[in-house]
Amino acid sequence: MSCRAALVAFRTGAGPTGWGALPVFAPGGAADHACAAADAEREAGHVVAPAPERIFAALSLAPLESVRAVILGQDPYPTPGHANGLAFSYVGPPPLPRSLVNIFRERQSDLGLAPPADGDLTPWARQGVLLLNTALTVREGASKAGSHLLLGWGAVTDALIAAVSATRPHVVFILWGKPAQTKRLLVDEGRHHVLESPHPSPLSASRGFFGSRPFSHANTWLERQGEAPIRW
């Protein structure tokens, strides 16, 4: 399957409302252009992650009408076998990606919850947590992080964030790292709440990610709006 084929399947399955109604997913729209660029990478012999059928997994698991929180990172894990379409999530044998280890470390410090047995964040997504990256694909391999940031995904994720901001009543936007924080201007902070910190990567976690308490801060704000807390 190609990215373009996965996009057609997603476009059909998303239906006439929610994500599927956004112009970004219309034929010839920004998503088509980003997928064409990702497919060109594959055709040139590069291994692209995640697998095509998982590129839009975050949107499928958290429909627009259900979104209550957005966790925004940079791009998928470039380590072979790690990316699965949900930002920071990992399904596989130990060890977990180091960014995810740091997320669970902060969760434990913040909420007193022991690290889970695996790294699958699907339960968060099913509660309306949109686990999104600023780019939806990446080249696999060492030192390939950020390799697809300029392939056109920025226009896609801009449209997704703007749609959440415009249509949802109360959303917490958790922006981890500088690429994610550039999206802050797309959020109507009169209606929504933004939490920023450095990326949980080992390169930056000690510069302010640890101790940021995003999970308790998000739930406190949601409850003040009359919303149910998220079971992190």
Side-chain angles (χ1 to χ4, degrees), residues 11-120:
R11 185 187 288 145
T12 303
T17 62
W19 302 124
L22 300 181
V24 69
F25 292 120
D32 268 349
H33 293 297
C35 269
D39 286 340
E41 284 271 286
R42 291 183 191 276
E43 290 159 9
H46 301 293
V47 179
V48 175
E53 63 271 17
R54 295 292 301 179
I55 290 173
F56 303 103
L59 304 176
S60 297
L61 285 168
L64 177 57
E65 58 271 20
S66 77
V67 173
R68 299 192 294 133
V70 177
I71 291 181
L72 187 62
Q74 177 176 296
D75 54 357
Y77 294 125
T79 304
H82 280 197
N84 67 2
L86 303 181
F88 300 105
S89 184
Y90 169 71
V91 180
L96 270 59
R98 290 179 294 172
S99 292
L100 186 55
V101 170
N102 287 339
I103 290 169
F104 288 151
R105 175 179 163 184
E106 178 61 19
R107 189 188 76 147
Q108 183 170 17
S109 175
D110 187 8
L111 302 178
L113 298 175
D118 60 46
D120 185 4

Side-chain angles (χ1 to χ4, degrees), residues 102-103 106-107 109-110 174-176 195-200 205 207-218:
N102 287 339
I103 290 169
E106 178 61 19
R107 189 188 76 147
S109 175
D110 187 8
I174 302 172
L175 311 181
W176 286 339
L195 299 171
E196 285 189 353
S197 79
H199 195 277
R207 301 174 191 164
F209 175 77
F210 291 136
S212 61
R213 302 185 62 197
F215 308 106
S216 62
H217 286 316

Side-chain angles (χ1 to χ4, degrees), residues 74-166:
Q74 177 176 296
D75 54 357
Y77 294 125
T79 304
H82 280 197
N84 67 2
L86 303 181
F88 300 105
S89 184
Y90 169 71
V91 180
L96 270 59
R98 290 179 294 172
S99 292
L100 186 55
V101 170
N102 287 339
I103 290 169
F104 288 151
R105 175 179 163 184
E106 178 61 19
R107 189 188 76 147
Q108 183 170 17
S109 175
D110 187 8
L111 302 178
L113 298 175
D118 60 46
D120 185 4
L121 301 183
T122 298
W124 293 4
R126 293 195 186 281
Q127 295 177 73
V129 180
L130 179 61
L131 296 165
L132 189 67
N133 284 306
T134 60
L136 302 190
T137 60
V138 69
R139 278 191 200 177
E140 278 195 351
S143 303
K144 298 302 182 184
S147 53
H148 284 188
L149 291 178
L150 300 180
L151 287 195
W153 288 119
V156 177
T157 52
D158 280 359
L160 301 180
I161 293 163
V164 172
S165 179

Side-chain angles (χ1 to χ4, degrees), residues 171-193:
V171 175
V172 178
F173 289 82
I174 302 172
L175 311 181
W176 286 339
K178 289 183 179 179
Q181 290 160 15
T182 63
K183 308 290 189 181
R184 184 167 189 162
L185 293 176
L186 299 168
V187 178
D188 178 357
E189 294 189 50
R191 301 170 59 197
H192 308 296
H193 189 50

